[in-house]
C-alpha cells in the first residue's frame, strides 16, 4: 500500500509501475544515510511530503526509491520578536499558522490546500496561494534552509535576518527546484503580524469574462487586495453540489476579494467602485462567518471537482491585464478538444488554474487531455505568460519547458543540476 500511494500525487497522473521501496525519514540523519546509500549504489530517489502536488513532481516508478519526509513534522521554534518560525519539512501549512496565531502572527503563503499540504512541498514548488497577491509566494517568506545534497552533504542557505546579500542566493535557487537539487530538512520561515481588520466583497457576473475584466479593473485601480479569487460557473455548480450552497444561482461566475490592514474598509470601497460596472450583484460580507463561508467555497473548488471525476489541474500565468483573454481562450480550448475545463484563478496575479475533469479511465499524458494541456501552454505563451505559476513542472509539463525557457537557460539549469547532483539521482525526469 505504501508503494502504491507513493507512486502518484493529486495531479491526475496515474503511474504504470510502483517504486521499489519507500523510506520514511524521521530525522535529518535518516535523510543523510538514505542519500549516501543512494549515491553509493546509484539509486534514483524521489522526495515526497504530503503528496498533494499537482504536476506529478513526487510520482515514482519502478527502479526508484521514495524518500518520504512527512514524519519530520515538528515546529522546532517560534521567535515572536524576530517574527520567524523554524520547522521541519513535513509540517502542514495550516499547522504553522495555528501555532503562529498564538503570538498574533501568521505565515503568509496560503495554498487552497493549506490543511493538507506540507511546507516541504510548498518550498519544492515555490507555492503561492490565495494571499500571494499582497504577501508574495513561498520564496518571499523563506529566510533560510537546511538542505541535504545528493551525496549526503549538508548545505545551509539564507540567514535569519531580513536582509543579506553575502554570496549567491542559494536560498532562492533551492525554492522551486522540485527536489532536484537537494532535500530540505529544515526551514526558517518569515512570519507577519495578523491583520487588524479584513474586509470581504463577493461579486457575481453574467459570464466569466466579465469577472476577469473586473479583476483587471481592481488591479488598474492601484488596490492591492490580500485575496482576489475567480471561480467560473461550472465550478460553482460543483461547489454547490458538494457543499449544499446556492452560489451558481447568483451568477455565471464569482469573484471573491479581500482587503486587510488598517485601511481594509477604505480599500473595500475602491474595490466596489472598480467591480460594480461589470457585476450583476456585489455585496459586502456582513461578518467573519460569512467571509469564512465564501473563502471555504473557493478552498473546496478542487475537492468538489474530484467528486465528479479525475482532475488534472493546469497552472498557467498571464499578465494581469490579459486575464479576460485567457479565460476566453480556455473556453475555446475546451470546445476544440472536447475536454471539460473548469476554471479558477488567483485573479490578482494572473495565475489561472484550468482544471480538466476526466473519466477515471482517461489519461492525462496522452489523447485529448494532453492536447488541451499543450494548448493551455501555447495560450499563455501567446499572451506573454508562463507554463506554471506555482505548481511546478513535475512530469506533466516537461514537453513545453524548453520552448518557454530557451536553449541557453535550459543549458545553464542543467549545468547547475549536474553540479549539485552529478549522478542525476534526485527526482529524475522531473522539472527540467
Amino acid at each position: 500500500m505504501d508503494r502504491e500511494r507513493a507512486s502518484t500525487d493529486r495531479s491526475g497522473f496515474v503511474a504504470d509501475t510502483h517504486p521499489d521501496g519507500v523510506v520514511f525519514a524521521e530525522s535529518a540523519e535518516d535523510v543523510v544515510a538514505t542519500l549516501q546509500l543512494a549515491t553509493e549504489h546509484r539509486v534514483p530517489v524521489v522526495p515526497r511530503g504530503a503528496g498533494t502536488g499537482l504536476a506529478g513532481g513526487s510520482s515514482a516508478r519502478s527502479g526508484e526509491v521514495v524518500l518520504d519526509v512527512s514524519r519530520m513534522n515538528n515546529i522546532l521554534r517560534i521567535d515572536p520578536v524576530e517574527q520567524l518560525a523554524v520547522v521541519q519539512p513535513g509540517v502542514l501549512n495550516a499547522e504553522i499558522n495555528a501555532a503562529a496565531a498564538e503570538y498574533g502572527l501568521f505565515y503568509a503563503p496560503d495554498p487552497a490546500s493549506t490543511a493538507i499540504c506540507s511546507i516541504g512541498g510548498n518550498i519544492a514548488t515555490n507555492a503561492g496561494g490565495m494571499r500571494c497577491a499582497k504577501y508574495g509566494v513561498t520564496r518571499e517568506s523563506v529566510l533560510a534552509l537546511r538542505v541535504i545534497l545528493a551525496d549526503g552533504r549538508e548545505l545551509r542557505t539564507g540567514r535569519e535576518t531580513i536582509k543579506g546579500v553575502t554570496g549567491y542566493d542559494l536560498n532562492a535557487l533551492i525554492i522551486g527546484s522540485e527536489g532536484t537539487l537537494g532535500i530540505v530538512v529544515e526551514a526558517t520561515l518569515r512570519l507577519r503580524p495578523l491583520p487588524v481588520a479584513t474586509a470581504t466583497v463577493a461579486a457575481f457576473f453574467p459570464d466569466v469574462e466579465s469577472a476577469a475584466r473586473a479583476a483587471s479593473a481592481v488591479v488598474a485601480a492601484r488596490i492591492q487586495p490580500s485575496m482576489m479569487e475567480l471561480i467560473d460557473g461550472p465550478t460553482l455548480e460543483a461547489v454547490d453540489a458538494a457543499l449544499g450552497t446556492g452560489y451558481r444561482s447568483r451568477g455565471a461566475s464569482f469573484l471573491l476579494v479581500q482587503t486587510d490592514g488598517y485601511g481594509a474598509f477604505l480599500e473595500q470601497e475602491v474595490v466596489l467602485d472598480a467591480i460594480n460596472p461589470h457585476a450583476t450583484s456585489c455585496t459586502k460580507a456582513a461578518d467573519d462567518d460569512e467571509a469564512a463561508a465564501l473563502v471555504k467555497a473557493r478552498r473546496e473548488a478542487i475537492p468538489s471537482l474530484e467528486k465528479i471525476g479525475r482532475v488534472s489541474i493546469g497552472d498557467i500565468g498571464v499578465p494581469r491585464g490579459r486575464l479576460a483573454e485567457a479565460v476566453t481562450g480556455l473556453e475555446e480550448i475546451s470546445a476544440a478538444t472536447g475536454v471539460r475545463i473548469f476554471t479558477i484563478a488567483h485573479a490578482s496575479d494572473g495565475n489561472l488554474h484550468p482544471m480538466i475533469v476526466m473519466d477515471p479511465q482517461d489519461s492525462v499524458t496522452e489523447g485529448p487531455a494532453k492536447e488541451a494541456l499543450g494548448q493551455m501552454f501555447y495560450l499563455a505563451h501567446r499572451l506573454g505568460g508562463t507554463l506554471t505559476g506555482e505548481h511546478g513542472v513535475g512530469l506533466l509539463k516537461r514537453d513545453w519547458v524548453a520552448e518557454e525557457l530557451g536553449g541557453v537557460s535550459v543549458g545553464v539549469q542543467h549545468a547547475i543540476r549536474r553540479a549539485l547532483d552529478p549522478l542525476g539521482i534526485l527526482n529524475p525526469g522531473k522539472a527540467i
Side-chain angles (χ1 to χ4, degrees):
M1 180 60 72
D2 287 332
R3 291 170 57 233
E4 180 180 0
R5 183 182 64 86
S7 68
T8 193
D9 53 17
R10 286 183 83 197
S11 63
F13 171 75
V14 178
D16 54 5
T17 59
H18 297 160
D20 290 355
V22 182
V23 176
F24 291 95
E26 297 183 355
S27 67
E29 290 74 24
D30 289 346
V31 175
V32 170
T34 301
L35 292 180
Q36 286 176 338
L37 284 169
T39 295
E40 179 182 351
H41 298 283
R42 299 193 174 213
V43 176
V45 174
V46 177
R48 182 181 181 86
T52 60
L54 297 168
S58 63
S59 297
R61 57 193 173 186
S62 176
E64 299 174 337
V65 169
V66 172
L67 177 53
D68 188 312
V69 298
S70 61
R71 296 181 184 180
M72 297 176 63
N73 56 4
N74 293 314
I75 297 175
L76 303 175
R77 174 165 59 97
I78 292 182
D79 185 332
V81 176
E82 294 297 331
Q83 298 180 9
L84 60 83
V86 181
V87 306
Q88 293 181 313
V91 177
L92 300 184
N93 186 292
E95 292 172 343
I96 297 169
N97 269 305
E102 297 181 15
Y103 301 93
L105 302 169
F106 76 110
Y107 176 63
D110 182 38
S113 57
T114 180
I116 58 174
C117 66
S118 61
I119 195 64
N122 291 177
I123 291 169
T125 61
N126 192 26
M130 299 198 289
R131 289 194 293 245
C132 55
K134 183 171 184 177
Y135 296 102
V137 293
T138 297
R139 184 173 286 121
E140 281 72 59
S141 290
V142 177
L143 296 172
L145 294 171
R146 183 182 172 198
V147 182
I148 308 302
L149 299 178
D151 59 6
R153 288 179 296 160
E154 181 179 310
L155 171 69
R156 289 186 180 264
T157 68
R159 55 201 54 81
E160 289 196 359
T161 56
I162 299 298
K163 291 182 177 179
V165 293
T166 306
Y168 296 135
D169 190 353
L170 299 181
N171 208 54
L173 177 64
I174 297 296
I175 300 166
S177 63
E178 302 188 48
T180 63
L181 301 179
I183 310 297
V184 173
V185 294
E186 186 177 293
T188 302
L189 309 177
R190 182 181 182 181
L191 304 178
R192 301 172 190 268
L194 282 167
V196 297
T198 298
T200 303
V201 170
F204 292 85
F205 301 85
D207 50 60
V208 69
E209 292 85 0
S210 298
R213 285 193 290 270
S216 295
V218 172
V219 173
R222 301 293 188 268
I223 289 295
Q224 191 171 43
S226 56
M227 183 184 299
M228 185 158 65
E229 298 292 306
L230 180 151
I231 306 178
D232 73 355
T235 309
L236 283 177
E237 291 177 10
V239 170
D240 286 342
L243 301 184
T245 49
Y247 294 117
R248 180 63 179 83
S249 65
R250 298 170 63 181
S253 62
F254 169 56
L255 196 64
L256 169 67
V257 187
Q258 287 191 333
T259 50
D260 68 9
Y262 286 99
F265 291 97
L266 294 174
E267 291 180 328
Q268 183 184 54
E269 297 303 319
V270 180
V271 168
L272 288 167
D273 288 342
I275 288 177
N276 269 321
H278 306 276
T280 53
S281 68
C282 198
T283 60
K284 303 175 184 178
D287 51 35
D288 290 345
D289 288 342
E290 184 179 351
L294 293 166
V295 173
K296 181 180 180 181
R298 166 58 184 87
R299 290 197 190 280
E300 291 296 319
I302 295 174
S304 297
L305 291 174
E306 289 174 334
K307 294 180 183 298
I308 61 176
R310 187 151 56 86
V311 182
S312 178
I313 302 169
D315 177 37
I316 59 174
V318 299
R320 294 175 295 178
R322 309 196 74 174
L323 194 64
E325 294 173 76
V327 296
T328 299
L330 291 171
E331 291 176 332
E332 293 170 352
I333 291 170
S334 179
T337 61
V339 302
R340 293 187 295 171
I341 298 177
F342 301 71
T343 300
I344 56 177
H346 305 306
S348 52
D349 55 18
N351 185 192
L352 298 101
H353 295 318
M355 298 171 289
I356 298 172
V357 179
M358 304 167 286
D359 293 333
Q361 70 273 13
D362 292 341
S363 171
V364 70
T365 55
E366 59 186 14
K370 178 68 176 289
E371 174 64 21
L373 286 174
Q375 289 194 30
M376 287 176 196
F377 162 65
Y378 291 116
L379 170 66
H381 195 63
R382 283 198 311 273
L383 297 177
T386 180
L387 170 66
T388 174
E390 61 184 7
H391 293 168
V393 172
L395 279 173
L396 297 185
K397 305 170 190 173
R398 289 191 69 207
D399 287 356
W400 305 284
V401 168
E403 191 166 351
E404 176 171 330
L405 295 179
V408 173
S409 179
V410 169
V412 169
Q413 293 187 48
H414 281 159
I416 292 170
R417 187 167 180 172
R418 286 193 300 270
L420 295 182
D421 179 18
L423 298 180
I425 64 170
L426 285 179
N427 219 9
K430 313 292 175 54
I432 62 166

